[in-house]
Amino acid sequence: DVKVTQSSRYLVKRTGEKVFLECVQDMDHENMFWYRQDPGLGLRLIYFSYDVKMKEKGDIPEGYSVSREKKERFSLILESASTNQTSMYLCASSDPRGPGGANVLTFGAGSRLTVL
Amino acid sequence: EDQVTQSPEALRLQEGESSSLNCSYTVSGLRGLFWYRQDPGKGPEFLFTLYSAGEEKEKERLKATLTKKESFLHITAPKPEDSATYLCAQKTSYDKVIFGPGTSLSVIP
């Protein structure tokens, strides 16, 4: 089974801190995504990447950046955390060559970030 | 603007009581309609993909259907282990996947 592992399940940070959320997938997937999930708003796409060193903005990229130095690892960075970035962050990957193609997302368990 | 809405927001069923969840989407080059299941404290898990009106997919007690404007997730004789949040998502012509807010289903023994 494809596994997407997010390094931290729960984090508590202070306003202004730099925050790194790490995501690793173990099945050689080309595509990786970062979403945030908030009650009543669903999942919203922050950034995505279709290849190493490549990144594209999603619907809500403001206040975030990403890094993809290796195919299996996609990091989300909050340069200066703010309270409105308190949320559940979900990483996902997909394989355009697999069953269902690039449409089927495999998610990690999520990282719940609280910014005080 | 592409948008996905789901109803009801929450649904409480008795074990064995069949029902349907609704997903409505704006059509702007629909390239797939997806259903995911999310258990508390976990990431969403893929259930179905539908591509064209009239298409149906089944898995155990779940059946997903698609019309030109909406999709339904029918749950037949649900069991308590079917309790979860069910998410609907749409892939647009711009290759983005847009998620709805989800329906929280509780099945009471």
Side-chain angles (χ1 to χ4, degrees):
Chain A
D1 281 353
V2 175
K3 284 191 179 173
V4 178
T5 303
Q6 295 184 229
S7 57
S8 303
R9 290 299 309 273
Y10 301 95
L11 301 94
V12 179
K13 298 292 181 181
R14 297 211 173 270
T15 301
E17 279 192 79
K18 190 169 186 176
V19 182
F20 292 88
L21 299 179
E22 304 286 342
C23 175
V24 177
Q25 50 94 3
D26 66 359
M27 285 299 288
D28 203 34
H29 280 186
E30 294 180 7
N31 306 333
M32 296 190 75
F33 308 82
W34 275 105
Y35 288 86
R36 64 176 283 177
Q37 184 175 31
D38 300 288
L41 296 177
L43 278 76
R44 292 179 291 167
L45 182 63
I46 305 171
Y47 267 96
F48 61 100
S49 169
Y50 289 152
D51 202 353
V52 177
K53 304 280 186 179
M54 176 270 180
K55 59 186 178 183
E56 291 286 344
K57 292 180 180 179
D59 297 317
I60 52 164
E62 295 79 20
Y64 304 94
S65 63
V66 290
S67 172
R68 194 165 182 199
E69 296 295 320
K70 294 184 177 182
K71 190 174 184 179
E72 67 271 18
R73 187 179 298 270
F74 194 35
S75 303
L76 181 68
I77 303 155
L78 287 67
E79 293 289 342
S80 178
S82 62
T83 55
N84 63 12
Q85 292 179 310
T86 292
S87 186
M88 170 69 84
Y89 289 88
L90 289 161
C91 176
S93 69
S94 70
D95 181 3
R97 302 160 296 174
N103 302 322
V104 176
L105 300 175
T106 300
F107 284 88
S111 297
R112 184 165 293 282
L113 172 66
T114 301
V115 183
L116 302 175
Chain B
E1 181 186 346
D2 294 324
Q3 194 173 2
V4 177
T5 57
Q6 293 186 245
S7 62
E9 185 176 324
L11 182 63
R12 190 180 171 96
L13 299 174
Q14 290 293 128
E15 185 173 359
E17 179 187 2
S18 301
S19 188
S20 297
L21 312 182
N22 176 265
C23 170
S24 297
Y25 58 91
T26 58
V27 179
S28 177
L30 177 70
R31 294 176 64 190
L33 188 292
F34 314 96
W35 284 97
Y36 286 80
R37 169 190 170 130
Q38 186 174 23
D39 292 301
K42 295 186 177 181
E45 181 181 343
F46 172 75
L47 290 173
F48 304 111
T49 305
L50 302 166
Y51 288 104
S52 56
E55 190 175 358
E56 297 182 354
K57 293 274 180 74
E58 281 189 73
K59 181 180 180 180
E60 296 180 353
R61 294 175 293 281
L62 300 177
K63 182 168 79 173
T65 61
L66 182 65
T67 72
K68 288 186 178 180
K69 290 286 186 182
E70 56 191 351
S71 177
F72 293 94
L73 185 65
H74 306 278
I75 304 174
T76 302
K79 298 182 177 181
E81 53 262 42
D82 295 321
S83 297
T85 296
Y86 290 87
L87 302 172
C88 171
Q90 165 193 358
K91 186 172 184 179
T92 74
S93 56
Y94 300 102
D95 257 3
K96 288 184 182 178
V97 177
I98 301 171
F99 282 83
T103 292
S104 176
L105 173 67
S106 299
V107 182
I108 312 303

